[in-house]
Amino acid sequence: NNVQPDFTIGVKMDVDTDTLAFYDQMVSFKKFSDFTDPKYFEDIPDSWCIIITDIKGSTKAIENGRYQDVNMIGAASVSVVQEVLDEDFPFVFGGDGATLVIPDKYKSKVFDALCGLRSLSVEKFGLGLRVGCVSVKEVYERGGKLEVAKHELSDSKCIAIFRGGGLSIAEDLIKGDEEKYEVENRNSPLATLDGLSCTWQPISNQRGHMMSLLVLSCEDNSKVYQDFLKKLDGIYGGDSSTGNPVNIDKMKLKSFATI
């Protein structure tokens, strides 16, 4: 039998699922609408964990004009982990925090980094930072699913897309029982924000307003999103991506005087 296995989609069979090689070697997709195609998704191994950070009282802090502080600490939840891992890992940035999904074997150094950030957030910004962790195995035991895919934004630059509802289960657990799931304080040095910067000028709107649209299907059915994207494409004359205010043509670097 000369038939060879098809590894054009998914993860190679010999990849160590207990390391970030699992994520690194996944096949990415370039067209955003392909997130509705199940062939690009893989189950997160149950030897991984879900770490969620968020700033306590962020709504009030933003109302008091501290949006940039909240946003900076939230983004730093990703950057401090990027520094200690020095590898791509799946995450979602949420404005006032982030959700990171990593193999268990990396937990210790990731916890050290995030505890250092938590101390910095309190001492320098007066903002409490929740850092919680739930195992993927527990999410599965509670009936949840958690799959990941890689959307390629540009050459070698990808973002993670999750599906299955597992992250929502993890968030409910962490916020519902902080004593059980909160990462204990460590004697970690204060984090630095050396790896966090933004050299882009603010993006202006083109037609008077910018709108963020959040869509959540009530069914575990990709067709719901496929139909929605078709309708959105119709509104934008065939290509909804033309409505995205974030694109290379409109982005400008800050001058050295303003960085």
Side-chain angles (χ1 to χ4, degrees):
N1 189 344
N2 293 323
V3 176
Q4 298 295 315
D6 182 4
F7 291 135
T8 57
I9 300 295
V11 180
K12 293 183 178 180
M13 297 293 289
D14 59 351
V15 170
D16 183 359
T17 57
D18 290 336
T19 71
L20 285 168
F22 165 82
Y23 182 68
D24 180 64
Q25 297 192 29
M26 286 183 62
V27 174
S28 61
F29 60 89
K30 294 184 178 181
K31 188 178 179 182
F32 175 70
S33 60
D34 281 343
F35 83 85
T36 62
D37 192 334
K39 71 183 180 184
Y40 291 106
F41 286 83
E42 293 289 333
D43 293 331
I44 296 288
D46 63 6
S47 58
W48 288 39
C49 63
I50 302 162
I51 300 172
I52 296 178
T53 71
D54 71 289
I55 292 175
K56 301 176 182 180
S58 60
T59 300
K60 184 175 181 180
I62 291 172
E63 289 175 351
N64 292 333
R66 302 194 62 193
Y67 171 80
Q68 290 187 333
D69 290 342
V70 169
N71 196 248
M72 181 182 299
I73 297 299
S77 300
V78 176
S79 68
V80 297
V81 175
Q82 287 175 327
E83 288 186 50
V84 298
L85 293 184
D86 197 28
E87 294 182 72
D88 286 338
F89 60 90
F91 69 87
V92 177
F93 172 55
D96 67 342
T99 299
L100 323 170
V101 184
I102 62 167
D104 281 358
K105 67 182 298 180
Y106 302 121
K107 280 198 303 187
S108 182
K109 57 184 177 181
V110 169
F111 286 175
D112 281 341
L114 290 174
C115 285
L117 177 64
R118 180 164 57 189
S119 297
L120 175 77
S121 182
V122 172
E123 292 187 22
K124 303 298 184 181
F125 295 87
L127 297 171
L129 181 67
R130 179 185 290 109
V131 181
C133 180
V134 174
S135 71
V136 171
K137 183 179 180 180
E138 180 172 353
V139 169
Y140 288 164
E141 289 173 344
R142 291 176 178 269
K145 296 180 181 179
L146 185 57
E147 300 176 316
V148 66
K150 291 171 66 174
H151 175 35
E152 186 174 338
L153 300 176
S154 60
D155 290 343
S156 74
K157 186 62 178 178
C158 298
I159 60 170
I161 294 182
F162 295 97
R163 73 173 192 174
L167 297 186
S168 295
I169 292 175
E171 182 177 8
D172 289 342
L173 289 172
I174 289 170
K175 292 185 177 181
D177 192 346
E178 192 168 330
E179 183 177 348
K180 178 178 180 180
Y181 295 103
E182 180 85 359
V183 174
E184 293 184 359
N185 285 321
R186 299 185 171 204
N187 293 322
S188 306
L190 288 184
T192 66
L193 303 184
D194 294 342
L196 181 65
S197 65
C198 180
T199 57
W200 299 105
Q201 292 184 11
I203 298 170
S204 59
N205 63 70
Q206 301 299 308
R207 299 179 178 86
H209 296 280
M210 286 191 191
M211 178 179 67
S212 296
L213 190 60
L214 304 180
V215 179
L216 178 63
S217 170
C218 295
E219 308 171 19
D220 186 12
N221 186 344
S222 296
K223 189 176 184 302
V224 173
Y225 294 111
Q226 291 170 353
D227 291 344
F228 169 76
L229 289 174
K230 287 179 182 178
K231 291 184 180 296
L232 198 60
D233 283 340
I235 293 173
Y236 282 93
D239 185 3
S240 58
S241 65
T242 60
N244 186 353
V246 183
N247 58 70
I248 297 299
D249 292 337
K250 296 174 184 177
M251 295 178 70
K252 297 180 180 179
L253 289 170
K254 294 178 181 177
S255 67
F256 287 110
T258 57
I259 293 178

